[in-house]
Amino acid sequence: MTTYQMVKQRVQDALHELQEGREGSSSEPFGGLERSQVAQESRCFNDLQIDAKKCRKILTKIVYLLNQGEVFTDNEGTDIFFGVTKLFQCTNQDLRRMLYLVIKELKPKDTEVFILTSCITKDMNSSSDLLRANAIRVLVKILEPQSLHQFERNIKQAIMHKNPSVATASLVAGLHLFPMSPEIIKKWASDVQAKLNANTKECTQHAMRLLYEIKEQDRGALSKIILGLIKQSLKSTLAHVQLIKLCRDTLNTNEDYVIDQNIYEFLENSLHKSNEMIILEAAKTICSLSDVSTKLLQDANRILQMFLSSHKPVLKFAALRTYNKLAGTYPKIVASNQSELESLINDNNRGVATLAMSTLLKLSTDGNVEGLLKQISGLMSEISDDFKMEVIEAVKNVGERLPHKHRETLTFVAQCLREEGGFEFKRSIVEAIFSTIETNPDAKEIALMSLAEYIEDCCYVSLQTRILDLLGREGPKMSNPSKLIRFVYNRCILEKPTVRASAVNCLAEFGFRVPDLKESIKVLLKKSLYD
């Protein structure tokens, strides 16, 4: 059978399977899948005649269950593990790739690792480049530090392999193993340097990163490597991006003026490349540096400004994220793009819109903060909880930066408390109000009233108990503490036992510390004796 016929047959099989899936009643291929059922099916791994296609499907189910958070019992896990090791007898490459994926997900115990290493070692010396690369990747995941010396030679030799997949797997393995055994990996320096000098499109990025890790303590050698790479014409876009990141790290630690000037020149040239990834990384790096010329910063700003008007959401998002960080150090530069940022609040991409809101809040002033909060409040219902939390964090920072605007910021977050949202979103709002109370005494009474009103509708016990504890500590200090009694007493009647107990403690605090309320509190507490 020719290669064309093999490919044609596989495509036909895939289409047939897809058609069968569409005809099925369930849209979820593994809907209702049970752990015990899969453990039972995995017994076919022990068959004398292995059905590669059937075993692949079962392995896929195992990976699915593990990624859904299912945990196999010790007996089930052991049976599956030993069944998986028997599948190494099958030479089907598709099955072998799935096998390696399952091994990484299963995370074998220390007592089981030695069984796998013998099987994996055979694949590391296989004539199949695909098997060699996969074997190296899996070995790194399961290897113990004390066993590294047994396999280090095989992994190191693969660095100079002619197949990029094998060489890359070995370099990435070195990056993972370096924190575990730095002294062993440092011996690879000459091979990694040779691979870097080869300037291959697929491997240069990983070789560069690994050599940086190896030479990080030798600043002189590292500077020479960086200078050498700057003068090269790198074939890989990812390698160029990686080099820009290494330049940033070097500038933050290096004190050599000549080297710094070469790097600044390299960053300026990178801004004029045709690839968007390179341009963006160069602009981000320039904006993150503390000691950078005004001209270079303005060049980076022009690039980011151009990306703000791009039709690609990813470029707008990346530019906004950079501006969001830059707003704290160079607010005037970011403020020059205020009109563009305001237009992005209504962007169809909610991630872009949220970042625009957050950035504008960082730039807000006494004159525009109220209008900005009103504009943002109308859009809060359209974004997800994760994005809402970012906005709440930005509003909290506004309150700390402009403490006399606490009424506006607290009104905004109190309105957010009344909107729908999950626990983490509500918790972030409560934390923001707590922070305001601690940092701004003038905002305390408004903040406490907002929290007291919120516990009327709050369905999270942990938040209710925290708020009641705060009300008990800070409420008696208010000019008119009796305003809070109704909210607290309602919790003694309507809530779960944990919340009722917290409410009783809170009332007791008011009775102890506010003499005028003592008799009234006694009457209310007596009713709780019959709880």
Side-chain angles (χ1 to χ4, degrees):
M1 184 181 288
T2 64
T3 304
Y4 169 75
Q5 290 171 327
M6 288 174 63
V7 172
K8 184 179 178 181
Q9 184 63 44
R10 286 196 179 189
V11 171
Q12 288 175 345
D13 291 344
L15 288 171
H16 181 65
E17 288 181 11
L18 183 62
Q19 187 63 32
E20 286 181 348
R22 285 177 178 171
E23 290 172 0
S25 57
S26 174
S27 59
E28 186 74 32
F30 296 132
L33 192 63
E34 295 184 3
R35 190 192 71 238
S36 56
Q37 173 196 342
V38 176
Q40 185 76 18
E41 290 178 359
S42 68
R43 292 184 179 180
C44 73
F45 296 164
N46 299 309
D47 293 347
L48 291 176
Q49 294 294 326
I50 295 173
D51 184 340
K53 189 174 181 180
K54 181 181 178 182
C55 290
R56 280 206 318 272
K57 288 185 177 180
I58 296 170
L59 290 172
T60 304
K61 292 178 181 179
I62 293 171
V63 172
Y64 173 80
L65 287 174
L66 291 171
N67 279 282
Q68 292 300 309
E70 288 282 351
V71 180
F72 289 95
T73 64
D74 288 342
N75 288 335
E76 289 171 346
T78 302
D79 290 343
I80 290 174
F81 172 78
F82 283 105
V84 163
T85 58
K86 291 184 180 180
L87 293 180
F88 275 98
Q89 300 171 20
C90 182
T91 56
N92 184 286
Q93 289 206 2
D94 291 335
L95 176 61
R96 186 65 58 88
R97 293 172 70 184
M98 197 67 209
L99 197 58
Y100 278 133
L101 184 60
V102 171
I103 290 170
K104 285 195 286 187
E105 294 294 330
L106 278 176
K107 297 175 183 174
K109 303 172 186 173
D110 295 345
T111 54
E112 298 169 342
V113 168
F114 77 95
I115 300 171
L116 282 173
T117 51
S118 60
C119 301
I120 293 173
T121 304
K122 290 178 183 177
D123 281 354
M124 285 179 68
N125 298 313
S126 167
S127 58
S128 169
D129 293 337
L130 182 62
L131 292 183
R132 291 188 71 171
N134 279 326
I136 292 171
R137 293 187 189 105
V138 174
L139 185 64
V140 173
K141 289 284 185 183
I142 65 172
L143 203 58
E144 293 297 316
Q146 59 271 21
S147 307
L148 177 58
H149 67 278
Q150 300 176 26
F151 306 97
E152 179 260 341
R153 182 169 170 271
N154 287 336
I155 301 174
K156 179 185 173 183
Q157 285 178 342
I159 292 174
M160 299 308 296
H161 197 279
K162 62 183 180 181
N163 186 295
S165 178
V166 178
T168 300
S170 180
L171 291 166
V172 174
L175 286 168
H176 286 294
L177 294 171
F178 188 82
M180 187 192 302
S181 301
E183 294 306 317
I184 292 178
I185 305 303
K186 282 179 180 179
K187 296 176 183 176
W188 300 7
S190 57
D191 293 281
V192 178
Q193 180 74 65
K195 197 67 182 178
L196 182 59
N197 292 339
N199 196 13
T200 55
K201 186 175 181 180
E202 297 84 357
C203 305
T204 305
Q205 175 199 2
H206 304 294
M208 192 186 299
R209 186 71 225 180
L210 182 54
L211 193 62
Y212 182 87
E213 295 289 340
I214 292 171
K215 299 286 188 181
E216 189 172 13
Q217 302 305 318
D218 186 353
R219 306 308 302 180
L222 192 58
S223 297
K224 288 181 181 178
I225 293 169
I226 297 293
L227 283 176
L229 290 168
I230 285 173
K231 294 173 183 175
Q232 282 188 33
S233 176
L234 297 173
K235 297 177 182 178
S236 167
T237 299
L238 293 175
H240 198 125
V241 170
Q242 182 68 63
L243 180 56
I244 292 172
K245 292 179 179 179
L246 298 186
C247 286
R248 179 191 61 211
D249 295 342
T250 303
L251 285 171
N252 289 332
T253 56
N254 187 63
E255 297 180 356
D256 190 320
Y257 176 79
V258 176
I259 294 173
D260 286 358
Q261 289 305 112
N262 279 278
I263 291 176
Y264 283 129
E265 187 179 338
F266 168 71
L267 291 175
E268 187 175 2
N269 291 336
S270 297
L271 287 174
H272 301 100
K273 295 288 183 182
S274 58
N275 188 282
E276 291 168 343
M277 285 174 61
I278 295 173
I279 297 171
L280 178 62
E281 193 60 40
K284 282 168 56 182
T285 298
I286 291 167
C287 292
S288 69
L289 297 173
S290 56
D291 184 19
V292 62
S293 67
T294 305
K295 179 183 178 299
L296 198 55
L297 201 57
Q298 288 173 346
D299 289 344
N301 180 43
R302 278 194 291 272
I303 295 295
L304 295 172
Q305 198 173 37
M306 180 180 66
F307 284 166
L308 283 180
S309 57
S310 171
H311 66 281
K312 297 179 181 178
V314 67
L315 290 180
K316 285 192 281 191
F317 186 85
L320 276 169
R321 191 165 62 171
T322 306
Y323 275 136
N324 193 274
K325 294 177 182 177
L326 195 63
T329 51
Y330 297 102
K332 289 183 179 179
I333 288 180
V334 182
S336 65
N337 304 295
Q338 182 130 353
S339 58
E340 289 88 347
L341 294 172
E342 288 175 355
S343 66
L344 291 174
I345 289 181
N346 298 307
D347 194 90
N348 293 330
N349 186 297
R350 293 294 87 191
V352 170
T354 305
L355 262 180
M357 295 177 200
S358 176
T359 306
L360 284 168
L361 285 169
K362 286 185 177 182
L363 298 172
S364 59
T365 60
D366 290 350
N368 68 0
V369 65
E370 189 173 354
L372 188 58
L373 288 173
K374 285 181 180 178
Q375 187 178 2
I376 292 172
S377 64
L379 301 169
M380 288 293 282
S381 59
E382 301 176 15
I383 59 179
S384 66
D385 281 6
D386 289 339
F387 291 141
K388 287 178 182 177
M389 287 163 64
E390 285 191 27
V391 174
I392 294 299
E393 182 65 24
V395 172
K396 185 187 82 169
N397 293 335
V398 171
E400 292 173 356
R401 188 164 50 84
L402 305 172
H404 53 284
K405 289 290 182 180
H406 63 268
R407 190 176 297 275
E408 288 80 4
T409 56
L410 284 172
T411 301
F412 177 86
V413 295
Q415 182 181 339
C416 291
L417 275 176
R418 293 190 287 272
E419 293 184 0
E420 292 184 4
F423 170 74
E424 289 298 329
F425 171 53
K426 299 294 185 180
R427 187 180 67 81
S428 69
I429 299 174
V430 171
E431 292 289 352
I433 297 175
F434 275 39
S435 176
T436 302
I437 291 172
E438 290 174 6
T439 58
N440 190 354
D442 294 338
K444 186 176 293 185
E445 295 212 6
I446 299 174
L448 289 175
M449 283 303 299
S450 298
L451 292 173
E453 290 171 3
Y454 171 59
I455 57 174
E456 292 276 273
D457 303 313
C458 180
C459 57
Y460 302 110
V461 172
S462 60
L463 292 183
Q464 285 181 307
T465 54
R466 283 197 65 195
I467 291 171
L468 286 167
D469 177 66
L470 179 71
L471 293 178
R473 283 186 286 111
E474 302 293 340
K477 302 175 186 177
M478 290 176 63
S479 57
N480 184 11
S482 60
K483 291 192 294 185
L484 299 177
I485 301 301
R486 173 176 64 87
F487 299 104
V488 177
Y489 180 64
N490 284 343
R491 310 282 66 74
C492 293
I493 305 170
L494 305 171
E495 297 294 345
K496 297 176 181 177
T498 306
V499 179
R500 296 204 298 273
S502 295
V504 168
N505 287 337
C506 183
L507 285 175
E509 287 289 336
F510 278 87
F512 285 132
R513 297 165 61 185
V514 186
D516 293 345
L517 296 176
K518 187 174 183 179
E519 294 304 319
S520 302
I521 297 294
K522 276 184 179 180
V523 175
L524 297 177
L525 289 176
K526 282 179 182 178
K527 294 181 182 180
S528 295
L529 291 173
Y530 303 101
D531 190 293

